[in-house]
Amino acid sequence: MSDLGDADGGEVSKEVLRQLVGRSETVSTEDALSSVRFATSTKLYNLWQTLPGHPPQHAAFSLGALSPELLPKMVVIDVLRHGEDYRFRFYGSTHVAHFGGDLTGLTTRDVEKAVPASNVIRQLYDHVLALKDAVFFRLTYLNQTDVIKRATGVMMPLTDENGAITRLIGGMDWYRE
């Protein structure tokens, strides 16, 4: 399953790998927009930039306005209690296939109970809230079917009518090295 071993050369269990494999790194907007690995992110970011306000209101964004090629790669997340938790409102089919399950309706706490390494997702969402701006990233983690996955993506905030960030939207491209 993995070329990761313990210090004695033995195979590391899948449960231990779930604890270890999960990291995210931010990427500058300039680097992301110039990379083919961020094709979906670039399209979504360009659309987000056209929405009124900064960050834009979620009322100005509609999944129905997106091209069919973007929908499977999209996520829409509700921000709960000013970022205490997050709930997956929409989890595109590409993510379902790569993660190994549909997260629609679940919170990040629900997901972290099953896959502790997914706490990198919460950290990314927290970072978007703190910046109040788009964040491009690279992600690596062990999915529910015990396969190491890599993705590039962008997460962007949307506000309510009072300017509070109440939703995040994002898109990712998955790949293997």
Side-chain angles (χ1 to χ4, degrees), residues 145-160:
T145 57
D146 300 318
V147 175
I148 294 175
K149 296 289 187 165
R150 291 177 173 78
T152 56
V154 65
M155 289 303 300
M156 297 159 294
L158 297 172
T159 66
D160 63 13

Side-chain angles (χ1 to χ4, degrees), residues 80-127:
L80 305 177
R81 298 174 303 283
H82 307 288
E84 287 181 30
D85 206 352
Y86 304 89
R87 176 173 284 114
F88 294 91
R89 175 180 282 270
F90 176 83
Y91 198 68
S93 60
T94 299
H95 302 299
V96 172
H98 285 280
F99 185 74
D102 188 354
L103 302 184
T104 302
L106 297 177
T107 66
T108 53
R109 287 188 184 162
D110 295 333
V111 176
E112 288 168 352
K113 287 176 189 171
V115 184
S118 67
N119 70 350
V120 298
I121 295 169
R122 175 191 295 276
Q123 293 167 7
L124 176 64
Y125 300 163
D126 290 347
H127 189 59

Side-chain angles (χ1 to χ4, degrees), residues 52-60 157-167:
H54 190 78
Q57 287 188 9
H58 65 77
L158 297 172
T159 66
D160 63 13
E161 60 279 351
N162 299 317
I165 297 173
T166 55
R167 237 175 240 157

Side-chain angles (χ1 to χ4, degrees), residues 31-100:
D31 287 347
L33 296 178
S34 66
S35 172
V36 294
R37 292 260 192 202
F38 286 86
T40 295
S41 303
T42 297
K43 289 175 187 173
L44 188 57
Y45 176 77
N46 289 338
L47 171 73
W48 181 76
Q49 290 282 85
T50 67
L51 298 174
H54 190 78
Q57 287 188 9
H58 65 77
F61 174 77
S62 168
L63 282 173
L66 295 176
S67 66
E69 73 184 57
L70 285 178
L71 281 174
K73 299 175 182 184
M74 288 284 307
V75 294
V76 178
I77 294 125
D78 291 329
V79 177
L80 305 177
R81 298 174 303 283
H82 307 288
E84 287 181 30
D85 206 352
Y86 304 89
R87 176 173 284 114
F88 294 91
R89 175 180 282 270
F90 176 83
Y91 198 68
S93 60
T94 299
H95 302 299
V96 172
H98 285 280
F99 185 74

